[in-house]
Amino acid sequence: MSHPAQPPATGQAPARLSTLDRFLPVWIVAAMAAGLLLGRFVPGIAPTLDSVSVAGVSLPIAVGLLVMMYPVLAKVRYSETRRVVADRKLMITSLVLNWVAAPAFMFALAWTFLPDLPEYRTGLIIVGLARCIAMVMIWNDLACGDREAAAVLVAINSVFQVLAFGALGWFYLQVLPGWLGLETASADFSFWAITLSVLIFLGIPLLAGFLTRTFGERARGRDWYENRFLPKIGPWALYGLLFTIVLLFAMQGDEITSNPLDVARIALPLLVYFVVVFVAGMVLGKLLGLGYPRTTTLAFTASGNNFELAIAVAIATYGVTSGQALAGVVGPLIEVPVLVALVYAALWAQKKYWPTATPTVADTPAEKANR
């Protein structure tokens, strides 16, 4: 979301979050409450929001989705690829965790915890397919991970999602349940609808982020771009998320207030998912000898999810008032406190299992460039 300050010294993680990020769960809860009040006291808000749409998404919500995606993708160092791509162990392990193990695990959790709630179950599966490209940069910095490795893995996840999200959605929502004798997704599922929403709500900001960094660095240099420009646009990712949550809850107020236990049931598998996938990434990195910085990067990029994209896909495919969209909205509320706790866990693991490790993000980008 917002661009973090310079990376922290080991053991001082929470102090390095900006005020916006540190209280993100509070802002999300406030946005939910504001949305519920708006839906209750402003009659006819749903048809008004749906009166103009883009790719099946109401125009105001589409604007919010694009606003929250662009700053994140403008942060990625698209040119920092060779050194990280050369680490085949890291690359292969990340691809397997992100695109094979994690989606399959979320599929299993969704069916285990929500067998009787197909809309929420589908929403969770979509969340599992949306690999993290957003706040992972913050968690990685706080835990003293490898910043360049995180940037490259984020870039790869971004491009891969544009190319493969629709096919994977079709596999996990239609093909695999059929093979296992389970109920498939509802008839309104569409491979092309998912692909189109990914192209719009990820492809457009991805291209914009790439062009912004390319021409921004060329015109003013990396130091200006990362230390002057990014901090100015970074908070807009959070503003876009909160704006979208307000509108979603304004349109889903009756469903949410009538079924609070359903929201809790969505939260539980998300909690299990974050912890298990993170631990798996840390253990694999240790066994493969990746070193603490890249092990931490591997764990956070595998355990985090791109809820912005999941929300966009769910709304475009199933509608703004769907259970699938609600499952995506619950995600950030659970992700933020859990991954802050996992930052502490990573720093503890560094002291215990990598006692001689030197954090690779202790320098500013300018200092790194001068090495």
Side-chain angles (χ1 to χ4, degrees):
M1 307 297 177
S2 60
H3 189 66
Q6 293 304 331
T10 301
Q12 297 180 344
R16 308 306 300 174
L17 278 170
S18 70
T19 300
L20 282 173
D21 293 318
R22 186 162 61 249
F23 295 103
L24 183 55
V26 176
W27 310 141
I28 291 175
V29 170
M32 291 175 175
L36 292 175
L37 291 173
L38 188 64
R40 182 176 182 84
F41 294 107
V42 181
I45 188 171
T48 300
L49 290 174
D50 272 339
S51 60
V52 181
S53 63
V54 176
V57 178
S58 72
L59 181 60
I61 293 179
V63 171
L65 293 171
L66 291 172
V67 167
M68 70 183 177
M69 292 293 289
Y70 165 69
V72 171
L73 292 161
K75 292 180 184 178
V76 177
R77 291 184 179 180
Y78 296 94
S79 62
E80 303 281 349
T81 57
R82 292 185 181 180
R83 181 179 64 85
V84 178
V85 172
D87 189 339
R88 293 190 177 184
K89 286 193 295 186
L90 174 64
M91 295 298 299
I92 292 173
T93 307
S94 176
L95 288 172
V96 171
L97 273 178
N98 272 285
W99 296 101
V100 179
F105 184 50
M106 185 67 90
F107 175 87
L109 289 174
W111 275 98
T112 300
F113 286 91
L114 302 169
D116 57 328
L117 296 171
E119 288 192 358
Y120 299 151
R121 184 177 66 233
T122 297
L124 277 186
I125 293 171
I126 291 174
V127 167
L129 297 176
R131 309 315 305 152
C132 191
I133 63 170
M135 292 196 75
V136 66
M137 303 297 290
I138 294 177
W139 313 131
N140 182 71
D141 271 5
L142 295 176
C144 298
D146 187 315
R147 180 180 289 170
E148 276 68 42
V152 172
L153 295 180
V154 162
I156 290 172
N157 281 344
S158 301
V159 175
F160 203 91
Q161 283 180 105
V162 173
L163 299 175
F165 195 103
L168 289 171
W170 170 72
F171 176 76
Y172 279 104
L173 296 174
Q174 295 284 325
V175 177
L176 185 56
W179 288 352
L180 299 176
L182 302 171
E183 176 188 359
T184 59
S186 56
D188 58 0
F189 168 85
S190 168
F191 166 84
W192 296 112
I194 285 184
T195 301
L196 178 62
S197 65
V198 173
L199 287 173
I200 292 174
F201 296 109
L202 179 59
I204 291 176
L206 176 63
L207 178 61
F210 172 78
L211 293 176
T212 301
R213 176 171 280 276
T214 298
F215 290 106
E217 287 191 0
R218 186 177 300 173
R220 304 291 296 273
R222 174 168 290 184
D223 181 69
W224 172 86
Y225 184 84
E226 296 193 341
N227 296 310
R228 300 283 297 276
F229 178 72
L230 287 182
K232 291 181 179 179
I233 67 168
W236 283 93
L238 176 56
Y239 303 153
L241 173 64
L242 296 178
F243 175 76
T244 303
I245 288 174
V246 168
L247 297 185
L248 286 174
F249 273 71
M251 301 180 76
Q252 291 195 343
D254 290 340
E255 180 71 19
I256 294 165
T257 54
S258 300
N259 302 286
L261 290 180
D262 289 352
V263 175
R265 290 184 62 184
I266 295 170
L268 184 56
L270 286 168
L271 175 62
V272 174
Y273 172 87
F274 292 134
V275 174
V276 171
V277 176
F278 176 83
V279 171
M282 294 294 286
V283 170
L284 281 173
K286 178 66 175 176
L287 293 175
L288 293 171
L290 295 179
Y292 173 78
R294 292 195 174 187
T295 294
T296 302
T297 298
L298 174 68
F300 277 110
T301 52
S303 57
N305 286 85
N306 182 2
F307 287 101
E308 297 92 334
L309 179 61
I311 292 169
V313 169
I315 292 172
T317 307
Y318 298 100
V320 70
T321 59
S322 65
Q324 291 89 340
L326 177 60
V329 171
V330 173
L333 181 64
I334 307 303
E335 179 187 38
V336 175
V338 171
L339 291 189
V340 167
L342 291 177
V343 168
Y344 277 110
L347 294 171
W348 171 85
Q350 180 189 25
K351 294 178 180 178
K352 185 172 180 63
Y353 298 107
W354 291 273
T356 60
T358 300
T360 60
V361 296
D363 300 333
T364 67
E367 288 169 336
K368 286 185 177 183
N370 292 329
R371 283 183 177 179

